[in-house]
Amino acid sequence: MSNPSESEKKNKKRANPIALFMAFGTKGDVFPIAAIAAAFGGERKDYRVFFVTHLAHRSLSAHLTKKCVTYVPISSPPVLPIQEDSSPAGSLQPPFSLQKRNITNVHRQECLSAVESIFGLEEVIAGDFILINFFALEGWNLAELFQVRCVVAAPYVVPYSAPSSFERHFRKKFPLLYEYLQEAPSGKVCWKDVTHWMWPLFEESWGYWRSDVLHLSSIPFTDPVTSLPMWHERDPSPPLLYGFSEDIVEHPDYWPSNVRVCGFWFIPIEWQFSCQQCLEGAAPDLEVHSKTEYPTCSVHVQLHSFLKTDNSMPLVFVGLSSIGSMGLMRNPQAFLAVLQIVTRITNYRFILFTAGHEPLQAAVLAAAAEESSSFSQRQFIEDGIILFSGQLFCFSGSIPYLWLFPKCAVAVHHGGSGSTAAALKAGIPQVICPFLLDQFYWAERMFWLGVAPEPLKRCHLLPESTDGMCIMEAANVFTGSIHTALSATVQARAADISSQIAHQDGVSEAVKILEREIVSVQLRITGRQRRIEQEIDFMALQLTTRVNPTRLPFWPTTTRLMTQKGQRNPLELHMTLLPQRGEESVLWLSSTPKKIAMRKDETKKVLEKRRQRNQNGD
């Protein structure tokens, strides 16, 4: 049997719609979106589900495969360590800004290739959608290129806000587009969407990529030929799913109309084990969500013993997740020195998650070597190390917060959405030291709710100097925050909040919203859209045969056709006429971004050919 031709492949209709989830950033940014993808893949067997993320998160691959979700890796790193944009004299290393730009270019090209490979040459069908997080704006532009509905999802409130001068500059630079967005009817993309989260899409770096690589208009919601707003067609406001509880974060009226608050997106318990033996031992109990006993394997003897003993001494969890990998923990020795002082002046025990940050782990090994020589690096990696007279347990792996936090009196963390949600669910007080983005919001919000003291300043947890005065000051402030967190008032408030959110299932709610607002709506319009596309093809043929372009001036425009019943057509028809002196004229008609890109390229070729003719005097 002969292989099908390219044209046959192109005309082939897919039987199953595609759901493409794309998320970039740290584990806290990516894993909650992966949890939704897994739940969607397990629920909707009629879909082909893909998850695009960093290669560094490849541990997700096996978990997603079990839920019929295909993992698609992108080579870019989850975070770039914060650096000064300077290089030593004579250094051959390019400046940080140039490195970042090169990584971004490669990242975007890989995203384009990935989406092209997923959708291929097959026609997009009703029900297809791309879901992105705030750090995957490539997906928004690619959804426009492939004419696929886009959904936005995040486990936290938008982590960045538009500059105060953004609206003034936008109105001056794009007056017609500003008017277009301000006058948008209900349910359509409007100025609220732009100021809430879309404003980065209008940055120049995106414009270059859209125009030069994707062959879209450089500015969203404008015509690719005239650069005027798409007055004749308004996109619906994209659904924006938030992964937190309305009991914790209010839903104000000034948010876009399509915001949906789902509840916290807790990742599956089995994803939180760094030890395969522990996971296998816990497997029979994974469905018992109320279970708080940690079934450690035989390797983690010290961890099990530390969690079981000295119940009279409050256990304090300390974990800063990806803060180290971002380059924000500049002096891990000073951090350990603060913890050592606190263990001396209090009766608290601490369990420290190093999150695999090598400088911090090296500092832990150095501190262990000072106390005793009877330890090994392998012991630390596999089971952990106990320091400071048995009051600090350092662990390089991970165990489920659902089991660990109920054993702790307080959770000290960086204000990540995942850590915040886990502590709220466990009903324990928090001490938060924020570093960037949404972490400041969560720190202030937890203080306002009464489940945490005032946020710690960075220097009171991670002093940059090992000077004795600095360490003692930080230790005293840190100790005071823990004392406040352990007050009866804060503990009671934490327990109250826990009871309010105990029965919420944010991941299931997110899947229901996708099914209700994306899948079912798009399937209802399938038949009508096909009829319209057939009418456009027929009328395009009629227009091509009736219009004599040689009598018209150069005319790039976008117009809307009327159906025979006199109703507006929801699909636009793009036309470019290039007449000149009775010679062969060019007429292109298209209704998809890909066809528009081809038309623009052909237009450039025709104009360049005519320019050369004029120069040669032809």
Side-chain angles (χ1 to χ4, degrees):
M1 181 179 293
S2 59
N3 294 328
S5 64
E6 287 297 319
S7 60
E8 289 175 338
K9 290 180 181 179
K10 192 175 295 188
N11 295 327
K12 182 182 177 182
K13 282 276 189 179
R14 276 190 283 112
N16 301 98
I18 289 174
L20 193 160
F21 294 78
M22 180 180 288
F24 298 118
T26 65
K27 283 188 175 181
D29 303 313
V30 171
F31 277 50
I33 309 300
I36 299 174
F40 188 88
E43 181 78 17
R44 297 299 302 239
K45 301 300 183 182
D46 56 324
Y47 266 79
R48 293 167 56 195
V49 186
F50 298 84
F51 190 76
V52 180
T53 190
H54 303 288
L55 178 63
H57 299 317
R58 55 185 169 273
S59 62
L60 286 171
S61 178
H63 301 306
L64 293 172
T65 300
K66 293 177 182 178
K67 296 294 184 178
C68 302
V69 179
T70 302
Y71 166 73
V72 182
I74 302 295
S75 66
S76 59
V79 295
L80 295 177
I82 297 175
Q83 302 176 12
E84 297 295 331
D85 198 0
S86 60
S87 300
S91 173
L92 297 177
Q93 187 175 7
F96 176 67
S97 59
L98 180 57
Q99 296 179 50
K100 183 178 179 180
R101 186 160 58 248
N102 292 338
I103 291 173
T104 299
N105 291 338
V106 173
H107 171 80
R108 290 178 178 174
Q109 183 57 47
E110 288 188 30
C111 289
L112 173 58
S113 298
V115 176
E116 281 182 331
S117 68
I118 290 169
F119 285 100
L121 297 174
E122 298 171 333
E123 183 180 342
V124 171
I125 64 175
D128 289 345
F129 69 88
I130 296 177
L131 184 146
I132 64 172
N133 71 350
F134 287 132
F135 298 109
L137 296 183
E138 295 83 2
W140 170 268
N141 297 291
L142 292 171
E144 180 181 343
L145 177 66
F146 286 88
Q147 289 194 308
V148 179
R149 186 76 185 275
C150 190
V151 184
V152 188
Y156 38 68
V157 182
V158 148
Y160 44 72
S161 57
S164 58
S165 61
F166 173 76
E167 183 172 1
R168 176 167 51 86
H169 287 304
F170 189 99
R171 187 173 186 176
K172 182 178 180 180
K173 190 173 182 180
F174 310 114
L176 292 177
L177 185 56
Y178 181 78
E179 180 183 348
Y180 167 87
L181 293 165
Q182 286 283 8
E183 296 177 352
S186 176
K188 302 297 183 180
V189 171
C190 64
W191 187 247
K192 281 186 177 181
D193 294 295
V194 173
T195 55
H196 189 71
W197 74 270
M198 279 186 179
W199 64 270
L201 292 169
F202 295 90
E203 293 179 347
E204 287 187 0
S205 63
W206 287 115
Y208 295 144
W209 190 57
R210 286 172 58 89
S211 178
D212 297 346
V213 179
L214 304 185
H215 301 293
L216 299 171
S217 60
S218 60
I219 305 299
F221 315 119
T222 61
D223 185 89
V225 177
T226 65
S227 298
L228 296 175
M230 304 283 280
W231 299 100
H232 56 282
E233 178 168 355
R234 291 181 179 271
D235 292 335
S237 179
L240 172 52
L241 279 55
Y242 273 139
F244 47 73
S245 170
E246 284 191 334
D247 291 317
I248 306 301
V249 179
E250 296 174 355
H251 184 165
D253 293 337
Y254 58 80
W255 280 3
S257 61
N258 238 18
V259 169
R260 303 289 182 265
V261 178
C262 306
F264 287 109
W265 296 332
F266 295 104
I267 64 176
I269 298 174
E270 58 267 29
W271 295 13
Q272 302 175 46
F273 288 92
S274 59
C275 174
Q276 185 63 28
Q277 294 182 47
C278 288
L279 173 57
E280 292 172 356
D285 301 311
L286 289 178
E287 298 301 322
V288 186
H289 297 292
S290 61
K291 188 177 179 64
T292 58
E293 184 63 33
Y294 179 58
T296 53
C297 68
S298 58
V299 176
H300 295 117
V301 177
Q302 284 198 95
L303 173 61
H304 185 78
S305 175
F306 188 81
L307 293 175
K308 279 289 188 181
T309 56
D310 292 325
N311 291 327
S312 61
M313 301 174 68
L315 179 61
V316 178
F317 168 82
V318 181
L320 300 180
S321 189
S322 57
I323 292 303
S325 63
M326 290 181 178
L328 297 171
M329 186 184 292
R330 297 185 175 91
N331 195 333
Q333 292 81 9
F335 175 43
L336 288 180
V338 171
L339 293 177
Q340 185 175 28
I341 295 297
V342 175
T343 59
R344 289 175 181 173
I345 63 179
T346 69
N347 66 337
Y348 304 144
R349 294 180 304 136
F350 294 85
I351 179 168
L352 171 65
F353 276 21
T354 63
H357 182 49
E358 293 182 2
L360 177 57
Q361 294 186 167
V364 169
L365 290 171
E370 291 181 5
E371 292 190 1
S372 171
S373 59
S374 60
F375 77 96
S376 66
Q377 184 172 351
R378 180 179 177 181
Q379 176 190 349
F380 173 43
I381 298 300
E382 291 185 350
D383 190 23
I385 289 179
I386 296 178
L387 299 176
F388 310 150
S389 302
Q391 286 182 255
L392 174 66
F393 185 85
C394 302
F395 188 57
S396 64
S398 63
I399 55 178
Y401 284 172
L402 179 64
W403 287 334
L404 176 61
F405 280 9
K407 297 179 178 299
C408 299
V410 180
V412 180
H413 59 89
H414 60 304
S417 58
S419 301
T420 302
L424 287 171
K425 188 174 181 66
I428 62 173
Q430 308 176 48
V431 174
I432 302 178
C433 180
F435 291 81
L436 71 169
L437 298 175
D438 62 302
Q439 297 166 12
F440 291 97
Y441 172 82
W442 289 118
E444 291 292 343
R445 189 65 184 169
M446 293 305 102
F447 172 56
W448 188 88
L449 286 173
V451 299
E454 286 192 64
L456 281 175
K457 294 181 180 179
R458 187 187 307 184
C459 62
H460 292 149
L461 189 62
L462 300 181
E464 296 192 6
S465 170
T466 53
D467 175 74
M469 293 282 290
C470 292
I471 299 298
M472 184 57 70
E473 179 186 358
N476 287 332
V477 174
F478 185 27
T479 301
S481 293
I482 298 176
H483 279 317
T484 303
L486 287 174
S487 67
T489 303
V490 177
Q491 288 182 318
R493 182 58 177 156
D496 181 50
I497 293 289
S498 176
S499 65
Q500 293 180 34
I501 67 173
H503 301 293
Q504 296 177 6
D505 187 347
V507 171
S508 295
E509 181 63 22
V511 172
K512 290 178 183 177
I513 291 172
L514 290 175
E515 291 180 328
R516 182 173 67 246
E517 300 193 15
I518 300 298
V519 177
S520 61
V521 171
Q522 293 211 24
L523 289 177
R524 284 199 300 270
I525 69 171
T526 306
R528 182 166 180 264
Q529 182 172 351
R530 285 175 180 169
R531 290 195 300 274
I532 291 170
E533 289 173 350
Q534 291 173 357
E535 290 179 5
I536 282 185
D537 290 340
F538 172 71
M539 286 184 284
L541 177 62
Q542 283 188 322
L543 187 59
T544 305
T545 58
R546 291 177 183 176
V547 173
N548 181 4
T550 60
R551 297 183 180 276
L552 298 173
F554 174 76
W555 181 29
T557 188
T558 302
T559 186
R560 298 195 64 158
L561 298 179
M562 308 290 285
T563 65
Q564 292 178 352
K565 295 181 180 180
Q567 298 175 343
R568 287 272 180 191
N569 217 325
L571 297 180
E572 71 274 14
L573 183 65
H574 297 268
M575 299 185 293
T576 298
L577 303 177
L578 296 175
Q580 184 165 332
R581 293 196 305 269
E583 64 183 54
E584 181 182 359
S585 300
V586 182
L587 171 62
W588 286 286
L589 301 101
S590 60
S591 59
T592 68
K594 281 187 173 180
K595 292 179 182 177
I596 294 169
M598 294 171 61
R599 183 197 63 184
K600 288 174 67 178
D601 289 342
E602 292 297 326
T603 302
K604 290 178 182 178
K605 292 178 182 178
V606 171
L607 291 175
E608 178 63 22
K609 186 182 294 185
R610 290 181 178 172
R611 186 185 64 80
Q612 292 176 356
R613 288 179 182 174
N614 291 334
Q615 288 179 347
N616 296 333
D618 294 344

